[in-house]
Amino acid sequence: MLSEYKGMWLFIMFDLPVDTRKARKNYAKFRKQLLDEGFQMMQYSVYSRYCVSEEVSTKFVGQIQKNLPPAGQVRFMAVTDRQFGKMKVFYGKKRAETEQAPQQMQLF
Amino acid sequence: MIDRILDFSNRAASLRIRNRQLDVRFKEDEQQVQIPVSDIAVVVIANPQVHFSHAVLSELCDHGAVLIVCDSSSLPTGMLLPLNAHHWQVSRFEQQAKIKLPLKKALWQQVVRQKVRNQATSLERAIGSDRGLKHLATQVRSGDPNNVEAQAARRYWSAMFGDSTFKRDRDAKDENLLLNYGYAVLRAIVARAICASGLHPSLGIHHHNRGSGYPLADDLMEPFRPVVDEAVWNFVSENHVPSSLSTLEKQHIISHLLSKFTHLGEQRTLFDIACRTARSLVRAIEGETRKLELPEF
């Protein structure tokens, strides 16, 4: 089964310019790439993906790094699933559940 | 990657590809799930109300995942395998088609011997005695001309489920239901490893189209079968013998298949071990060695 100490969540956070048509296009392309790689939006400009190990997360960093937009700021950060699980999430004052690592077995 | 196993049997769902992710929508509650295709190892479809697009099939194949199709009674009837997984494929197929009979027999001997050994270990864990299977394993000769495999099976099955009339049967509604499901997932895992090593699952070393169209998968999965047997034994000894397959039984069997096993002193998943077995077969076909790397449970 998946280990919460080995599994990592890779965060990609960005601030990209959207002042020109060209810039907006680059922004959309970058965002689409993240979705294609299986990242999900946590908040605006904050995307995350569960990776089974640090090696896998490094691989994703490398892949995205190759296709960075020409301007703007992008940050990569990986935390273990254990650390990620301690995140507190609030909608208004109401506590919501933290996202869970995917199950290896899913019976629908 | 994660090697995820997905099973669609209880709810009507529609599968499609969106942003290169498998996008699952359920009719009843409009729930939506997104799964990266690259994480998927096996998809089992056992509900007539599951719809999927062509893009789903081609993306699954592209990422080396296997799709199992089941009929209305949840029995696996077909399998879709990736066939573009390896760049050496064509030359491997050629070599594979040309394996000489003596090598085939030597390989089959190892497979049967390890299967009977693993059956012995499983039996020991289940009922505390191997019923002479360990000794029987030493009697397997090249090509197994005395059919030790069948002799072992006779002792094994009657001892395993404490019932001298127990028979392996695709259609029986007893422990066989669970075994059939477990073997289908196991066959998919092994077939996937075979394709990933650039071998063709239809060119077997012993089986000739016995029911399934993937004789090589049937050959190599033999020593893995006791993993499923033990999971089924665990289930029926704690619960009851089920008359139909439900989520509970499936969950039990799959979670057992997803656990770690000791292989040559290391903790490995079945996916890893199956890949190693397939790769060792490649080495044997290329004449590097005659020894297969088989699982020892």
Side-chain angles (χ1 to χ4, degrees):
Chain A
M1 288 281 146
L2 303 172
S3 148
E4 59 174 8
Y5 293 95
K6 253 189 98 192
M8 307 283 281
W9 286 83
L10 175 61
F11 282 88
I12 297 186
M13 298 167 279
F14 53 82
D15 267 340
L16 299 181
V18 286
D19 46 353
T20 63
R21 246 183 100 98
K22 188 88 198 282
R24 279 193 293 276
K25 199 167 177 197
N26 285 330
Y27 153 78
K29 211 175 120 196
F30 183 69
R31 180 177 172 277
K32 175 86 166 75
Q33 185 202 350
L34 296 183
L35 294 177
D36 283 352
E37 297 287 359
F39 285 84
Q40 283 186 331
M41 190 176 92
M42 299 220 106
Q43 293 184 349
Y44 291 123
S45 309
V46 179
Y47 287 71
S48 71
R49 190 196 201 280
Y50 177 83
C51 303
V52 78
S53 66
E54 189 164 5
E55 293 79 57
V56 174
S57 106
T58 315
K59 194 199 91 184
F60 277 111
V61 174
Q63 225 153 289
I64 309 283
Q65 225 173 324
K66 271 192 256 161
N67 298 302
L68 288 175
Q73 188 197 71
V74 179
R75 290 169 188 249
F76 297 89
M77 182 176 71
V79 299
T80 63
D81 184 38
R82 172 114 182 124
Q83 291 164 328
F84 182 89
K86 288 183 186 159
M87 177 165 58
K88 286 183 180 172
V89 185
F90 292 94
Y91 284 89
K93 286 194 191 313
K94 227 172 124 194
R95 179 94 188 254
E97 246 179 78
T98 313
E99 285 79 356
Q100 298 253 322
Q103 299 277 311
Q104 209 180 355
M105 155 181 55
Q106 276 178 302
L107 303 167
F108 297 112
Chain B
M1 285 306 197
I2 309 188
D3 290 328
R4 286 163 79 168
I5 298 181
L6 313 174
D7 179 301
F8 296 90
S9 30
N10 300 327
R11 293 150 73 188
S14 92
L15 319 186
R16 54 183 197 150
I17 297 292
R18 220 172 135 225
N19 291 322
R20 286 170 56 201
Q21 314 296 304
L22 180 67
D23 183 89
V24 186
R25 278 164 204 222
F26 297 101
K27 288 224 177 80
E28 44 183 34
D29 51 3
E30 316 234 309
Q31 193 201 342
Q32 199 181 331
V33 187
Q34 288 220 342
I35 301 156
V37 185
S38 53
D39 288 351
I40 300 173
V42 182
V43 179
V44 184
I45 301 202
N47 185 322
Q49 289 190 60
V50 173
H51 296 258
F52 41 87
S53 65
H54 172 72
V56 170
L57 304 183
S58 78
E59 282 286 320
L60 284 175
C61 283
D62 232 30
H63 287 88
V66 180
L67 181 97
I68 304 177
V69 182
C70 299
D71 63 14
S72 53
S73 48
S74 267
L75 274 180
T77 52
M79 185 153 72
L80 177 70
L81 280 170
L83 268 183
N84 57 351
H86 205 283
H87 51 289
W88 282 105
Q89 212 150 41
V90 176
S91 66
R92 290 266 160 85
F93 289 172
E94 275 174 17
Q95 284 173 314
Q96 201 187 342
K98 283 189 216 144
I99 313 180
K100 296 263 176 358
L101 195 60
L103 178 59
K104 278 190 186 175
K105 285 181 160 178
L107 296 173
W108 184 240
Q109 177 186 23
Q110 297 172 51
V111 168
V112 173
R113 185 173 285 166
Q114 195 57 50
K115 177 189 182 183
V116 178
R117 272 193 206 137
N118 289 347
Q119 285 178 326
T121 330
S122 285
L123 214 49
E124 247 168 20
R125 275 198 287 258
I127 63 163
S129 146
D130 73 352
R131 294 285 166 95
L133 287 191
K134 274 225 172 80
H135 174 70
L136 214 51
T138 61
Q139 317 259 300
V140 182
R141 285 166 39 215
S142 179
D144 193 20
N146 300 334
N147 210 351
V148 174
E149 190 193 9
Q151 295 177 38
R154 239 184 337 265
R155 293 192 203 180
Y156 176 70
W157 288 118
S158 56
M160 191 68 152
F161 295 119
D163 173 2
S164 58
T165 58
F166 182 84
K167 261 205 186 102
R168 271 290 296 139
D169 182 350
R170 263 185 69 88
D171 300 317
K173 301 269 176 270
D174 48 16
E175 288 93 343
N176 278 297
L177 271 175
L178 278 70
L179 291 171
N180 291 333
Y181 181 78
Y183 290 156
V185 178
L186 181 63
R187 180 178 290 111
I189 294 175
V190 173
R192 179 172 174 258
I194 288 171
C195 291
S197 317
L199 296 171
H200 200 292
S202 296
L203 301 168
I205 52 176
H206 176 81
H207 283 121
H208 307 282
N209 197 8
R210 201 182 59 183
S212 107
Y214 304 105
L216 185 58
D218 289 335
D219 290 338
L220 290 192
M221 77 182 265
E222 290 296 350
F224 289 89
R225 283 179 189 262
V227 174
V228 175
D229 306 343
E230 230 177 302
V232 174
W233 182 84
N234 277 331
F235 185 86
V236 295
S237 56
E238 279 166 26
N239 300 277
H240 54 278
V241 179
S243 54
S244 68
L245 262 186
S246 71
T247 313
L248 182 71
E249 286 92 38
K250 290 181 179 179
Q251 218 153 14
H252 180 88
I253 292 173
I254 295 188
S255 65
H256 191 72
L257 290 176
L258 288 174
S259 51
K260 296 253 169 119
F261 299 89
T262 316
H263 180 71
L264 304 175
E266 288 171 37
Q267 290 290 99
R268 298 213 163 262
T269 63
L270 274 190
F271 297 96
D272 288 341
I273 305 176
C275 283
R276 285 165 161 252
T277 301
R279 277 204 297 271
S280 73
L281 178 61
V282 171
R283 287 196 296 274
I285 290 171
E286 291 180 337
E288 234 176 88
T289 165
R290 287 174 86 86
K291 201 170 159 10
L292 286 178
E293 190 177 326
L294 295 166
E296 209 180 318
F297 299 116

